[in-house]
Amino acid sequence: MSDIESFKQEERVFNPPATFVNNAAISGMEAYRALCAEAEEDYEGFWARLAQQNIQWTKPFTKRLDESNAPFYKWFEDGELNVSANCLDRHLTNGNADKTAIIFESDDAKVSTITYRELHERVCKFANGLKSLGVQKGDRVVIYMPMSIEGIAAMQACARIGATHSVVFGGFSAKSLQERIIDAGAVAVLTADYQARGGRQLPLKSIVDDALALGGCDTVRKVVIYKRTGGDIAFDQNRDIWLHDLIDGQSAECAPVAVGAEHPLFILYTSGSTGKPKGVQHSSAGYLLWSMLTMKWVFDIKPDDVYWCTADIGWITGHTYVTYGPLATGATQIVFEGVPTYPNAGRFWDMVQRHKVTIFYTAPTAIRSLIKAADADSNVHPNKYDLTSLRLLGSVGEPINPEAWMWYYKNIGGERCPIADTFWQTETGGHVISPLPGATPMVPGSCTLPLPGITAAIVDDSGKELPNGKGGLLVIKRPWPSMIRNIWNDPERFKKSYFPPELGGTTYLAGDGSIRNEKTGYFTITGRIDDVLNISGHRMGTAEIESALVANPIVAEAAVVGKPDETTGECICAFVVLKRTRPEDGEAEQIAKELRDWVAKEIGPIAKPREIRFGDNLPKTRSGKIMRRLLRVIAKDEEITQDVSTLENPAILEQLKHVK
Ligand code: WTA
């Protein structure tokens, strides 16, 4: 049975426990429906009320939604605020000043904590340091840092002075980093000497050096280095500065710079269906608002919670649910430097036990790999740990299959904790479809219902809304405050990618397929409709990997497709034509290895193809178009049942069937 079939037939329903419902921010389905009704009756009024109640404005807004230049929507445009003040300064006067903001656990299990007052001080010093380097409101700053208090402080420091940050995940290569620095026009790069992960020291600063040496990064004036491990680095006296030297002697006060509601808080690059990553641009006020509301509604955050989102700050989940949402709502959170399998695959459960975590948010890939590990070694099975502190679980990044859901529910949540299967994207800024833990009856494998104010629907290719039970394109019909504002430097691509004319030009196209249950109307996500893969919850464009492969001088042509994988969701399968004769056996293996390493260098290790198959050619139509749907079938080692009569060169299929 395919995943989709098993989702469709999923009949199990799990109600939120009564104790949870009684204390929840949104308690019961009536409360959920009341909020939805409020949004429906007065859409702008609904959002305006929430924006007034949740954000501390330095200048109140009078305008609500501006649709005059759709799809370049604006929210609360004449209001002013500072996002960092909303995350930190507000806690200095509301009784949270001495509350722990972050419990940091290093790779080697050293724990340090920081209160809101101390974090405020650290961010102010960092911000003053950046100012002393000449960084100003509107400048872009690239952050290439490990999971750390400093990484979060770096983002907050940018927000404090109105600089737009662009965090690049530490697993991206020098070339990827260089492209992002150039596209963003960054004036500074904030990095660390090394990052410690899984007992290893991985260089960051030397990758920054390599990125800048590739050329074209003339806007970069300074590189700031956080000393994490103390390992050797090259140091350019004119350009480089240690973070501790930068902040030494800086004042612990830094007045937050007020910015307009629409001021770009950050740009985050993500994969699309063409070779070039898209710089997703987010606003300040609308984004902040939704990060706070979803912390309250979906994570039901309470003053005594110990909250842990395992995502890296290099991804959107780490932005909204590590750097902004938890701090703005005054939460105590765990920040973890390492990996789930070091020193063993019980690390997550050990940390939940030691820190008495109450809310735990991770990706299905992690769950699936920990299921495997627990099956293989009973010492790292969650039943060896005391997980009774947990009250709520979350899942993000990819569809969670019902089996993994059930395991998570039983073994981690003790059948006591609701699971929020949160569907969202880099572009949506925060959760858009998710169960509310104190309201929504849960069905394994379904992200259930849109959050209040989110007008999600399923349409066909012409934009016509489809009835329940019919699969189609997932859209959001009305603009909402935390949505993507633009693609940095590419407004045309923004319009084309997300607001295609076929759908009327103003409806947000998510890029995922979805289907609603006939009876309940619950949404299930059926996967991307474009050439974007989801590997371990990380987005990767097939075109990006293809252009990396063909950039290698020995490669003539390449086509990349996704193949289902039990643990990582999907894995990358590449079909390659070389400029020389087709290699076989040992030689093919050798060249495949070289090409894998090449892709790691071009994009990053996360983009390495699992499998590379060589052919004399690729299956093409007579007009020369590569038939990817056939390649997808071949990658899965399934028989081809489709019509291949339009194929120019059917014989090639036999050749590609053989692995390598
Ligand atoms: C997928 C991550 C099913 C989806 C926050 C989306 C999901 C892409 C879920 C965005 C979920 C994310 N169920 N699929 N709960 N959450 N996705 O931009 O394909 O890294 O379009 O944002 O991940 O990935 P991104």
Side-chain angles (χ1 to χ4, degrees), residues 172-194:
F172 279 114
S173 68
K175 177 123 186 293
S176 295
L177 180 59
Q178 175 223 20
E179 285 165 4
R180 286 157 174 75
I181 291 171
I182 294 174
D183 191 71
V187 299
V189 180
L190 315 181
T191 189
D193 50 359
Y194 288 82

Side-chain angles (χ1 to χ4, degrees), residues 217-290:
C217 306
D218 310 330
T219 49
V220 175
R221 297 191 301 261
K222 285 285 171 193
V223 174
V224 179
I225 314 142
Y226 159 51
K227 189 182 262 188
R228 169 61 192 92
T229 68
D232 284 344
I233 57 162
F235 200 90
D236 176 339
Q237 293 296 343
N238 295 321
R239 189 198 67 192
D240 299 346
I241 179 163
W242 287 107
L243 177 62
H244 52 260
D245 289 335
L246 178 70
I247 60 177
D248 189 32
Q250 295 291 350
S251 159
E253 288 296 331
C254 173
V257 172
V259 300
E262 285 295 320
H263 181 73
L265 177 63
F266 65 87
I267 305 164
L268 182 60
Y269 288 86
T270 189
S271 296
S273 39
T274 68
K276 198 171 168 277
K278 308 188 260 203
V280 173
Q281 179 186 323
H282 274 288
S283 70
S284 293
Y287 172 81
L288 172 71
L289 174 63
W290 199 227

Side-chain angles (χ1 to χ4, degrees), residues 268 270-271 315-317 321 361 364 395-400 420-428 430-431 433 445-447 474 508 510-513 524-530 532-534 537-539:
L268 182 60
T270 189
S271 296
W315 309 111
I316 190 68
T317 309
Y321 298 109
Y361 188 38
S395 170
V396 58
E398 37 175 336
I400 178 162
D421 175 2
T422 61
F423 169 81
W424 61 295
Q425 312 173 297
T426 304
E427 294 87 343
T428 65
H431 309 146
I433 307 180
S446 168
C447 50
L474 179 65
Y508 173 77
D512 281 288
T524 286
I525 305 298
T526 53
R528 299 286 308 188
I529 50 163
D530 51 12
V532 171
L533 307 181
N534 194 322
H538 300 152
R539 260 166 82 165

Side-chain angles (χ1 to χ4, degrees), residues 321-394:
Y321 298 109
V322 177
T323 300
Y324 292 109
L327 294 180
T329 51
T332 293
Q333 69 171 323
I334 308 284
V335 170
F336 175 44
E337 178 178 43
V339 298
T341 48
Y342 178 80
N344 61 47
R347 182 68 182 265
F348 275 1
W349 321 136
D350 177 48
M351 284 181 62
V352 168
Q353 171 177 299
R354 276 190 288 112
H355 298 295
K356 299 200 169 37
V357 173
T358 60
I359 302 175
F360 180 70
Y361 188 38
T362 197
T365 295
I367 298 165
R368 287 190 297 259
S369 72
L370 297 177
I371 295 175
K372 257 199 195 162
D375 285 347
D377 175 3
S378 64
N379 284 320
V380 297
H381 196 283
N383 64 16
K384 289 280 178 334
Y385 302 84
D386 178 3
L387 306 178
T388 51
S389 57
L390 288 169
R391 67 181 194 96
L392 172 59
L393 302 175

